[in-house]
Amino acid sequence: MSKAANKRVGDEIAKQSKKIKNIDEVLKLVEKLAEQSKRATTTATSLSDLNLPHSVKEVVDKDADAVLDEIEAAIFEVAASILQGHGFSYDIPSRSKGNQLYVPELDRIVLKDSISKRPFASTQQCRKTAITTRIL
């Protein structure tokens, strides 16, 4: 439930608490709140369901095999780039303020699709690229 919905439910409970006289009324109120909660959980829960105007990156949980596959694919791309004589670089999502978007339905900030290159051949970026490679 969103913060506004929680506030409305809290206000409704405060109003009803003054009027409640017996157990049946309490049970009706609890059942009503449970039904509202069930309806609230059926709303869009992922970024792809929201049809946002910007392309955004979504972080999803992956099992160990999927993570290993992603790491192997990244290392394979690096090796292929080196063998072609281009050197290598990583595409890193930009965390700048202009690349962030607040999604009120999920109450979180997400990154848009802007990326920056982290080339190994650059003397300014070499240290960061080496650290990124060690992490992988």
Side-chain angles (χ1 to χ4, degrees):
M1 267 198 231
S2 69
K3 292 179 183 178
N6 284 337
K7 183 172 174 37
R8 284 187 302 228
V9 170
D11 292 343
E12 186 174 326
I13 290 173
K15 290 177 188 176
Q16 292 292 330
S17 64
K18 296 175 185 175
K19 300 177 185 178
I20 296 174
K21 296 181 181 177
N22 62 28
I23 295 174
D24 293 330
E25 291 180 21
V26 173
L27 288 175
K28 286 180 184 177
L29 183 59
V30 169
E31 289 172 356
K32 181 179 177 182
L33 290 174
E35 185 177 319
Q36 287 177 350
S37 175
K38 286 179 185 176
R39 273 191 256 126
T41 59
T42 60
T43 60
T45 56
S46 73
L47 291 173
S48 58
D49 296 338
L50 295 176
N51 296 324
L52 297 174
H54 301 283
S55 176
V56 295
K57 304 273 185 201
E58 183 171 15
V59 178
V60 294
D61 289 331
K62 295 183 177 184
D63 62 352
D65 292 333
V67 171
L68 184 60
D69 290 342
E70 291 288 332
I71 292 171
E72 288 174 351
I75 297 302
F76 178 77
E77 287 177 21
V78 166
S81 178
I82 290 171
L83 289 174
Q84 292 172 357
H86 302 296
F88 76 93
S89 66
Y90 295 112
D91 293 335
I92 306 294
S94 174
R95 297 181 301 180
S96 68
K97 187 174 183 178
N99 195 41
Q100 297 177 7
L101 174 70
Y102 177 69
V103 181
E105 295 87 355
L106 301 176
D107 193 29
R108 66 176 162 164
I109 297 173
V110 297
L111 294 177
K112 296 178 189 175
D113 61 351
S114 177
I115 59 169
S116 60
K117 293 275 189 193
R118 186 169 286 169
F120 184 74
S122 167
T123 56
Q124 294 175 335
Q125 296 290 322
C126 180
R127 182 177 171 272
K128 290 181 180 180
T129 306
I131 291 170
T132 302
T133 303
R134 281 188 225 144
I135 291 171
L136 289 176

